């Protein structure tokens, strides 16, 4: 046994290196001789010896250069689940000189402050005078004082810190040298969570995208998916402007007709990352895209896996960080529709054209110009966004904690639609001997408020301006408040959107707990056992209240009522895993084996009653106070279990050749015993060419190629918990008797398929990672080819079987997705100006290969105006082709098929000409053809960050190109019937023939108009390409001297604009549509456009 | 020591972890099929489910459109051009037109339900009489649903066993379908009770089975065969069970449902809290019918189907006291529902004049409506559909007697119907008509007695009257192609899925 200090000195001599340390850190530490002779576990013999000396003493080293090592204490952080830049800020710093064996005579003292590019002061940065062994570390405020040896006044200072690029700064006779360190361009030491294991990013063999939590956090978003739009190649996000509604997300296309949602893993708990999760708590987002990366999640991973790691406390004194952001939210675009005078004139023309008498609401003499409702003004408002976060964190060498509280509130741009969320997170770690305990816990309460019915985005466009919002003339017993709903003289079937808002309210509350607790036991140096227990508990409460009144012309009256639904969701996850990591010479093997068991259930109770009690205009909205018919319902809609064995082995040889084998065996209660077990193997290999001895290209710092192949599964949630069994349905009711008694009926309503199993997806991935110029430029390239087989379809059964409750599911379709993903980042580091730019490009080619037996000669599935047809993409538009307008009768008469049959005999000049694809002389649904793809041929994202001194700039652009959107609202407007008109319509008339808008007239009895309004024509199909400025943010770091008085640090204020402009030819409100369902992904059926948000914020710490 | 601890730890962890959970989770919400069909209450619920079909959306809303609006007495000026073209105007643009497919499907849903009762109930140990009654009710209803299919589509697949995925029967001919209907109804009539206690009103009776059987025969022109069941109703046991209501209008009011004139009546009730027409989605369903909302006048309901004005003019016979035929007011809402004109004709609480002015010739059917007790309509009308009235039976009997050479005996039954309306008897006003002339008069009698009740389409087809010549009174018939439009096209979806099905002639 000897003092550590002594052993270090021996090592320095033996290997001709310098070792720096703070004498306090190694005081009293001892080593045994035996351990010094320990087996080499590193390629570098010196490092392995040093490793052994330090590890048992709770120390570690940082390698500053080949000949210089710095010893520091191991932070508590590293003992636990890693984060990307775990070693940042962990240096136990002080202002003492780092003692070294030989201290030359000092000539000059230089002082300065080291900050990060984000303006944070950096404690623990190593400062060295180049070529000497003179060194220091910065204090907790990032300040340093260093004595420069004689003759080095014009020398160079070297600033280094893990996670940041090392910077050399010439002294130039200065006594103050302030430095800003840039983020390490591509820290090869960066670790990645790949599911049950963390590995160095450089060792990842599969396709994994890492999304910068900072970039994701820049946009004000209510869900994770929304925040990562455009940030990762291969990940398609489409947003909605509805407060509290999450975004649609697809990873590498769509491989299922039922479900595109990826699996979310939050700190090891498999739980959905919807709007109930606070984005500000997220430290890192990793997206597992290929079969190799995702196979560890087996039967649930085929849509990709998004791994979310939340922030943890760091070793050090308590740190309080805060952020506040507030902004205004407006609709990014409005419909350009007519006012009542314009509308009345156009309707008069329309009736006159059809030889009909205009209704009194628009007729000369009876038209009342004082009724001029701008429905958009009535419904839209300037919304608001607020986002507040406060976190306290800190820790010691063996414990750490982070407690954060947040409040998010969004008043939407449509009246009466809002979302708010309060959340509390508690993450702690503690270590006792070999065992580390910890938990991550989120408590959140979210409230979504909205009216119960209708879509204001459509209603505000089509509702007639000649209908008042409210008027005494409308008062009836069923419409006591006289809401303007139209009359026989002003017919509309749109909802009065103001009335909907006044009369109905739906409030949905989610009280949620998501988290996990774990115990990690270090069994041997190379083997850890971990027990992880996760839970997601949600108490959901939905209350719908409807007051007496109607909001639609001809609508059936409805009694006032209250309905409540309470449900409890419970998901429990238990996992046992063994992690191993062992080196044998040049061979490194690590991996994990384990078992995972999850059970999920939901129970619901529903109750309600009609005829609310009122007191004057006030409604009592409890069930107990209502006096009418009561309803009740309830059940256990969900109850299933999943059990799996999982394993992964990573093998690497000399860091050059890497192989990963991953597998999972899953069993799921949702399938019959014969189909319950599935095997999901994968293999991946990498070759790091840059590590080869023959590779000598200075410009290329790293070059690696990857290849993977494997199989994954997916279980669509729409299957429910018992999809394969035949059940009695006892919902039918029958009326009998003089008293109209209600009696129960029961029978098997739904045909069942006992042979159900999960969908399977095999995927090949070929990737290339490269970085150039000391990692300033990095580049990722992936191509993939995946085939989903046994895709579940609701296989149509003939109507004569009398089936109800949905067509039985059958595993019978195949879908292929092929694509290319490119991402590149360039970083430029200067002392004042720093910037980086990154971009990504995604292509997806989606092809339906099989749709099962849909019937004779039927190789497609229809949904609305789409077909998913073999050889074409999922949900391709299937429409009539138009060919302009008939300009005169001669054109109509001469438009014949081969047999001379006039194809559109009912048409009049000014009507739409359709292509008779089958040449049968008739235009009907049989003339539809594949008319466009809802899939972009190219998607791109770009981020630019720059900082100059205290000012910073962030720009995010997203772009989507080559897809087609069906503009359903425009269809309604341009059908001209019972709707307001676009301001810029220019209907064809015999004297106005240069227009695209057909003749205007009444539908009734006019087959020509009816044909113009076929909804299955490409008149409504438009290009969905767009480029959008997703985010623009300008920030300013407040000078420290201003902050000192307030005792706060690193404070930054900023102003940001979200969705400031969009370049597109699309004529709807927003080309970023989420669609109606997977097969109608390009349908704009009144999509709520993305909101424009202007916000200001502040963030800082003390 | 330490190693021992570690190994013990690993062993313990693996032992607790290695337990695979039970993956057989019972569905706590529903019984399995295997566990069902055990006792009398299961059988009863099974039968009830067959009746429940009658208030499903397509069958209670859209089917009347095909029997009423498609005929010459109805017209559609709906805002939805697809309704006009596909239902009213014989311009079928889509062989899978949703509203037609829904009727096709709903009837087969009823058949599927009946098939389960007929297949499973015989093996249940229970009271034998009740068992036979339940099976007979299911057969009656299966006959009813096939009657709809036979008269709308004609040549349809016959499914008489419990549905199996992959079952690809060939099309049956219309005659084969009728043969099945005759068999089911004959067997049903044999086992059904003649009447029920107060709480079971609305269940199928022997009289209902005989009346429907007679209709099935008559559509095939088997008038002689139809006489037997009709005789049971008119001159046999049924004569003491059924009679005409003194007041014609009582057949269409919610206050006089299941009256002595009702032979088979579809039972509806209002559920103000319902959320769906789909009777398997939740128990909180609509067991009323939405037809009233769809037939209601413009400004009240959708007005998707209404009456042709010519029908109004058929009510020219005055009563013996010189008044207008009271059936006109009971049948239609129009500018002269009140004989004094638009200023007095009340349309849901407001005068016709105030709603539509004095120069509006639109006519709406009234019999399914609820204007007698409220001033609006909705999707939950509780007003029962008097599917077969005794007046219909009397006129059917008269027609069969006339067709089988007993015209003279037929008079008395027409007279009963006319007399109830206050009109002079046919015997007095038009004695000694030839069989052909009598039939012509009978056509008029059926129109004035039964308009807007769903019989007109089958009458036109039975009489061979459907054709372009009707375009004078209903312009839609200009598009009618004889030999084609008597039947609807078999849904293409089902033909695609089952190549053994044949499309109807000329489609």
């Amino acid at each position: 046994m000897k003092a550590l200090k002594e052993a270090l000195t021996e090592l320095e001599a033996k290997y001709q290196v310098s070792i720096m340390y703070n004498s306090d850190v190694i005081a009293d530490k001892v080593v045994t001789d035996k351990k010094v002779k320990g087996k080499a576990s590193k390629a570098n013999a010196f490092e392995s010896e040093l490793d052994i000396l330090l590890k048992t003493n709770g120390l570690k080293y940082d390698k500053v250069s080949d000949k210089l090592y710095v010893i520091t204490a191991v932070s508590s952080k590293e003992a636990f689940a890693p984060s990307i830049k775990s070693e940042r800020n962990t240096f136990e710093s002080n202002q003492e000189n780092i003692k070294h064996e030989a201290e030359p005579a000092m000539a000059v003292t230089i002082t300065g402050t080291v900050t990060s590019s984000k303006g944070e002061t950096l404690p623990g940065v190593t400062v060295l005078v180049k070529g000497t062994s003179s060194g220091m570390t910065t204090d907790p405020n990032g300040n340093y004082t260093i004595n420069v040896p004689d003759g080095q006044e014009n020398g160079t200072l070297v600033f280094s810190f893990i996670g940041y690029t090392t910077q050399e700064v010439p002294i130039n006779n200065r006594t103050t040298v302030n430095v800003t360190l840039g983020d390490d361009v591509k820290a090869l030491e960066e670790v990645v969570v790949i599911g049950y294991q963390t590995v160095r990013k450089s060792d990842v063999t599969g396709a994994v995208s890492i999304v910068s939590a900072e970039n994701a956090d820049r946009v004000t978003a209510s869900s994770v998916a929304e925040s990562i739009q455009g940030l990762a190649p291969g990940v398609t996000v489409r947003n909605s402007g509805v407060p509290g509604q999450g975004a649609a997300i697809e990873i590498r296309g769509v491989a299922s007709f039922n479900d595109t949602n990826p699996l979310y893993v939050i700190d090891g708990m498999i739980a959905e990352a919807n709007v109930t999760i606070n984005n500000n708590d997220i430290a890192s987002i990793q997206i597992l895209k290929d079969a190799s990366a995702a196979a560890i999640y087996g039967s649930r991973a085929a849509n990709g896996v998004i791994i979310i790691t939340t922030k943890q406390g760091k070793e050090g004194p308590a740190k309080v960080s805060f952020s506040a952001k507030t902004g205004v939210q407006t609709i990014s675009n409005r419909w350009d529709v007519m006012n009542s005078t314009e509308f009345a004139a156009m309707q008069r023309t329309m009736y006159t054209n059809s030889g009909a008498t205009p209704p009194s609401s628009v007729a000369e003499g009876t038209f009342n110009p004082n009724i001029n409702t701008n429905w958009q003004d009535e419904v839209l408002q300037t919304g608001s966004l607020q986002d507040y976060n406060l976190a306290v964190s800190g820790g010691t060498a063996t414990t750490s904690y982070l407690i954060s509280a947040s409040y998010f509130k969004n008043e939407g741009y449509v009246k009466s639609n809002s979302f708010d969320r309060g959340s509390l997170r508690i993450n702690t770690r503690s270590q006792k001997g070999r065992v580390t305990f910890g938990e991550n816990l989120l408590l959140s309460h979210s409230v979504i408020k909205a009216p119960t019915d209708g879509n204001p985005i459509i209603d505000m466009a089509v509702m007639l301006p000649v209908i008042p919002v409210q008027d005494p003339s409308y008062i009836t017993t069923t419409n006591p408040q006289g809401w303007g709903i139209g009359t026989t003289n002003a017919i509309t079937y749109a909802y009065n959107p103001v009335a909907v808002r006044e009369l109905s309210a739906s409030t949905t509350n989610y009280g949620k707990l998501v988290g996990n607790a774990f115990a990690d036991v270090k069994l041997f140096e190379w083997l850890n056992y971990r027990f992880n227990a996760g839970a997601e508990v949600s108490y959901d409460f939905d209350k719908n209240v409807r007051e007496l009144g109607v909001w639609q012309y001809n609508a059936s009256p409805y009694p006032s009522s209250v309905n409540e639904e309470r449900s409890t969701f419970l998901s429990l996850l238990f996992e046992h895993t063994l992690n191993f990591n062992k080196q044998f010479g040049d061979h490194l093997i690590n991996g994990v084996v384990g078992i995972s068991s999850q059970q999920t259930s939901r129970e619901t109770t529903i109750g309600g009653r009609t005829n609310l009690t009122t007191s004057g205009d006030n409604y009592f909205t409890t069930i107990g106070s209502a006096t009418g018919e009561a309803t009740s319902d309830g059940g256990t809609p969900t109850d299933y279990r999943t059990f799996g064995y999982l394993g992964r082995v990573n093998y690497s040889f000399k860091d050059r050749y890497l192989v990963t084998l991953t597998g999972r065996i899953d069993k799921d209660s949702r399938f019959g015993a014969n189909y319950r077990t599935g095997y999901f193997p994968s293999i991946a290999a990498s070759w790091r060419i840059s590590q080869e001895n023959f590779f000598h290209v200075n410009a290329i710092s790293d070059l690696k190629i990857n290849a993977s192949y494997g199989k994954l599964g997916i279980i669509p949630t729409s299957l429910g918990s018992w999809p394969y069994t035949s059940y009695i349905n006892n919902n039918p009711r029958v009326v009998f008797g003089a008293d109209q008694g209600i009696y129960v009926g029961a029978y098997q309503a739904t045909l069942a398929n006992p042979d159900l199993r999960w969908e399977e997806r095999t995927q090949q991935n070929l990737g290339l990672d490269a970085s150039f110029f000391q990692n300033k430029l990095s580049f990722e390239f992936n191509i993939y080819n995946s085939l989903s087989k046994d895709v579940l379809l609701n296989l149509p059964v003939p109507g004569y079987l009398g089936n109800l409750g949905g067509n039985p599911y059958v595993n019978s379709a195949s879908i292929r997705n092929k694509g290319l993903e490119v991402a590149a980042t360039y970083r430029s580091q200067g002392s004042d100006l720093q910037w980086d730019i990154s971009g990504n490009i995604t292509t997806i080619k989606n092809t339906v290969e099989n749709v099962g037996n849909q019937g004779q000669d039927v190789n497609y599935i229809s949904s609305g105006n789409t077909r998913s047809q073999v050889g074409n993409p999922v949900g391709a538009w299937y429409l009539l082709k138009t060919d302009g307008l008939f300009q005169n009768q001669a054109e109509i008469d001469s438009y014949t098929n081969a047999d001379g049959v006039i194809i559109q005999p009912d048409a009049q000049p000014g009507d739409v000409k359709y292509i008779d694809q089958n040449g049968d002389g008739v235009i009907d649904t049989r003339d539809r053809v594949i008319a466009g793809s809802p899939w972009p041929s190219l998607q791109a994202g770009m981020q630019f960050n720059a900082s100059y001194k205290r000012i910073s700039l962030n720009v995010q652009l997203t772009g989507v190109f080559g897809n087609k959107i069906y503009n359903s609202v425009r269809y309604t407007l341009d059908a001209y019937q019972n709707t307001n008109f676009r301001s810029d319509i220019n209907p064809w008339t015999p004297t106005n023939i240069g227009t695209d808008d057909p003749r205007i007239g009444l539908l009734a009895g006019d087959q020509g108009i009816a044909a113009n309004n076929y909804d299955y024509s490409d008149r409504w199909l438009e290009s969905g390409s767009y480029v959008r400025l997703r985010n623009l943010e300008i920030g300013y770091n407040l000078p420290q001297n201003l902050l000192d008085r307030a005792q706060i640090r690193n404070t930054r204020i900023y102003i940001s604009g979200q969705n400031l402009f969009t370049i597109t030819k699309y004529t709807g409100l927003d080309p970023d549509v989420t669609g109606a369902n997977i097969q109608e992904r390009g349908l704009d059926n009144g999509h709520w456009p993305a909101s424009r948000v202007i916000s200001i914020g502040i963030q800082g710490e003390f | 020591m330490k190693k021992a601890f570690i190994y013990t730890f690993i062993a313990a962890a693996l032992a607790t972890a290695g337990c695979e959970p039970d993956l057989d989770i019972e569905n706590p919400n529903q019984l399995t099929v295997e566990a069902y069909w055990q006792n009398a209450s299961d059988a009863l619920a099974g039968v009830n489910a067959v009746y429940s079909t009658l208030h499903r959306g397509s069958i209670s809303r859209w089917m009347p459109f095909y029997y009423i609006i498609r005929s010459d007495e109805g017209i559609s000026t709906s805002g939805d051009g697809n309704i006009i073209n596909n239902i009213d105007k014989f311009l079928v643009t889509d062989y899978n037109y949703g509203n037609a497919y829904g009727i096709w499907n709903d009837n087969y849903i009823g058949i599927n339900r009946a098939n389960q009762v007929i297949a499973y109930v015989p093996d249940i140990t229970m009271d034998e009489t009740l068992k036979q009654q339940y099976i007979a009710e299911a057969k009656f209803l299966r006959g009813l649903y096939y009657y709809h299919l036979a008269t709308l589509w004609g040549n349809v697949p016959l499914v008489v066993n419990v549905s199996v995925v992959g079952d690809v029967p060939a099309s049956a001919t219309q005659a084969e379908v009728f043969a099945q209907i005759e068999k089911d109804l004959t067997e049903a009539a044999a086992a059904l009770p003649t009447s029920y206690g107060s709480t079971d009103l609305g269940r199928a009776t022997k009289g209902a089975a005989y009346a429907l059987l007679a209709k099935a025969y008559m559509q095939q022109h088997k008038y002689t065969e139809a006489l037997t069941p009709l005789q049971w109703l008119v001159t046999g046991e049924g004569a003491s069970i059924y009679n005409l209501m003194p007041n014609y209008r009582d057949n269409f009011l919610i206050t006089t449902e299941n009256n002595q004139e009702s032979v088979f009546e579809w039972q509806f009730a209002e559920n103000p809290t319902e959320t769906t027409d789909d009777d398997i989605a939740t128990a909180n369903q609509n067991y009323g019918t939405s037809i009233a909302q769809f037939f209601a006048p413009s400004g009240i309901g959708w007005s998707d189907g209404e009456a042709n004005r010519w029908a109004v003019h058929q009510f020219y016979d005055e009563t013996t006291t010189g008044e207008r035929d009271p059936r006109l007011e009971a049948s239609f809402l129009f500018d002269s529902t009140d004989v004094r004109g638009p200023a007095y004709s009340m349309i849901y609480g407001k005068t016709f004049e105030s709603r539509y002015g004095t120069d509006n010739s639109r006519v709406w059917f009234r019999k399914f409506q609820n204007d007698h007790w409220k001033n609006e309509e909705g999707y939950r009308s509780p007003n029962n559909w008097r599917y077969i009235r005794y007046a219909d039976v009397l006129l059917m009997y008269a027609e069969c007697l006339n067709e089988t050479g007993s015209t003279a005996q037929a008079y008395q039954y027409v007279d009963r119907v006319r007399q109830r309306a206050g009109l002079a008897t046919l015997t007095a006003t038009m004695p000694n008509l030839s069989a052909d002339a009598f039939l012509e008069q009978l056509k008029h009698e059926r129109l004035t007695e039964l308009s807007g009740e769903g019989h007109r389409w089958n009458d036109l087809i039975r009489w061979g009257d459907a054709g372009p010549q009707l375009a004078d009174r209903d312009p839609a018939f200009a598009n009618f192609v004889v030999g084609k439009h008597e039947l609807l096209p078999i849904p293409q979806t089902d033909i695609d899925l089952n190549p053994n099905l044949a499309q109807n002639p000329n489609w």
Side-chain angles (χ1 to χ4, degrees), chain A residues 523 554 557 576 595 631 636 641 669 676 722 728-729 731 733 737 740 744 746-748 799-801 855-856, chain B residues 6 17 22 25 29 31 45 48 55 101 105 113 116 163 167 201 268 273 280 285 293 301 377 494 496 498:
Chain A
L523 300 172
N554 273 357
H576 304 264
I595 49 184
T631 53
T636 304
R641 294 187 190 124
S669 69
R676 201 164 266 167
W722 301 275
I728 293 295
N729 183 306
N731 285 324
R733 290 293 182 273
Q740 299 205 312
V744 175
Y747 80 116
Q748 182 191 348
Y800 61 73
L801 292 183
Q856 206 180 23
Chain B
I6 289 168
D22 182 7
I25 300 178
N29 307 297
L31 276 170
N48 288 347
H55 59 70
Y101 195 83
N105 200 206
R113 294 174 179 186
Q116 291 187 27
S163 293
D167 200 7
L201 288 178
F268 297 121
T273 64
I280 64 136
Q285 63 198 249
Q293 176 75 356
E377 282 296 351
D494 282 22
D496 284 343
N498 176 4

Side-chain angles (χ1 to χ4, degrees), chain B residues 29-45:
Chain B
N29 307 297
Q30 291 158 304
L31 276 170
T32 62
V33 171
E34 293 71 33
Y36 200 69
W37 306 107
Q38 302 293 331
N39 53 43
S41 77
D42 291 353
L44 176 61

Side-chain angles (χ1 to χ4, degrees), chain A residues 36-333:
Chain A
V36 178
K37 289 174 192 155
K39 206 187 288 177
S41 64
K42 290 258 167 125
N44 182 326
F46 162 70
E47 288 182 10
S48 37
E49 285 199 40
L50 186 58
D51 229 18
I52 291 160
L53 282 180
L54 299 180
K55 263 189 181 159
T56 47
N57 283 306
L59 300 172
K60 67 178 179 79
Y61 65 84
D62 292 336
K63 184 177 181 178
V64 178
S65 71
D66 281 349
K67 293 288 171 196
L68 178 62
Y69 291 78
V70 180
I71 293 172
T72 62
V74 175
S75 73
S76 58
K77 186 69 180 58
E78 270 174 75
F80 310 112
S83 74
I84 291 184
K85 284 162 186 165
S86 61
E87 285 150 294
R88 194 185 292 183
N89 288 357
T90 58
F91 205 90
E92 185 66 49
S93 57
N94 60 46
Q95 287 175 275
E96 283 182 44
N97 275 351
I98 290 177
K99 300 224 167 57
H100 195 262
E101 302 299 302
E103 289 187 7
M106 298 304 155
V108 202
T109 302
I110 296 176
T111 58
T113 309
V114 183
T115 53
S116 74
S117 55
K118 290 192 294 293
E120 299 170 309
T121 52
L122 296 175
V125 176
T126 304
V127 187
L128 283 173
V129 183
K130 192 174 184 179
T132 74
S133 54
S134 195
M136 272 293 302
T137 57
T138 55
D139 71 6
N141 292 320
N143 299 321
Y144 73 94
T145 306
I146 192 167
N147 297 317
V148 175
D150 232 0
Q152 291 290 336
E153 297 85 352
N154 285 316
T156 302
L157 292 182
V158 180
F159 297 84
S160 61
F161 193 41
I162 297 288
Y164 292 82
T165 44
T166 299
Q167 203 171 127
E168 298 189 3
V169 181
I171 299 172
N172 289 339
N173 287 319
R174 290 179 293 177
T175 54
T176 305
V177 178
N178 295 329
V179 169
T180 304
L181 292 186
D183 290 350
D184 196 352
V185 174
K186 186 183 168 197
L188 290 177
E189 307 309 318
E190 199 172 50
V191 291
V192 187
V193 188
I194 54 170
Y196 305 99
Q197 198 187 0
T198 56
V199 296
R200 291 191 303 167
K201 167 130 180 58
S202 55
D203 289 348
V204 171
T205 51
V208 178
S209 276
I210 298 172
V211 176
S212 145
E214 280 159 30
N215 273 335
D217 234 9
R218 302 244 187 222
V219 293
T220 312
S222 57
S223 69
V224 176
E226 185 182 351
S227 71
I228 61 174
Q229 186 180 41
L231 299 184
V235 180
T236 308
V237 176
R238 291 169 295 146
N239 283 316
S240 157
V242 182
Q245 190 177 87
I249 183 165
E250 294 151 356
I251 297 174
R252 292 191 162 181
V254 38
S256 167
F257 289 109
N258 297 285
D259 203 340
T260 62
N261 289 322
L263 186 76
Y264 288 95
V265 182
I266 308 169
D267 289 327
M269 174 62 198
I270 296 173
E272 204 175 319
N274 52 28
V275 294
T276 60
I277 307 294
N278 176 18
N279 282 355
N280 286 283
D281 288 339
I282 295 173
S284 78
I285 301 166
Q286 277 137 45
I287 303 171
L288 314 183
K289 298 190 290 192
D290 73 343
S292 170
I296 200 86
Y297 292 103
S299 66
R300 292 176 283 181
N303 285 335
V305 180
I306 297 185
I307 296 187
I308 293 164
T309 309
T310 61
K311 291 172 181 165
Q312 304 294 338
K314 290 164 184 166
E315 190 176 343
K319 187 173 87 172
V320 179
S321 57
F322 63 90
S323 72
K325 184 194 257 188
T326 180
V328 292
Q329 184 180 39
T330 51
I331 195 165
S332 51
N333 202 358

Side-chain angles (χ1 to χ4, degrees), chain A residues 51 200 206 223 279 410 417 448 550 787 854 894 1075 1089:
Chain A
D51 229 18
R200 291 191 303 167
S223 69
N279 282 355
N410 177 198
N417 283 76
I448 298 173
V550 290
L787 178 65
Q854 300 288 325
S894 63

Side-chain angles (χ1 to χ4, degrees), chain B residues 211-223:
Chain B
L212 188 59
L213 178 61
K215 280 184 177 291
Y217 281 135
M218 288 172 71
Q219 283 309 108
Q220 304 172 79
H221 306 117
K222 294 179 172 176
Y223 298 105

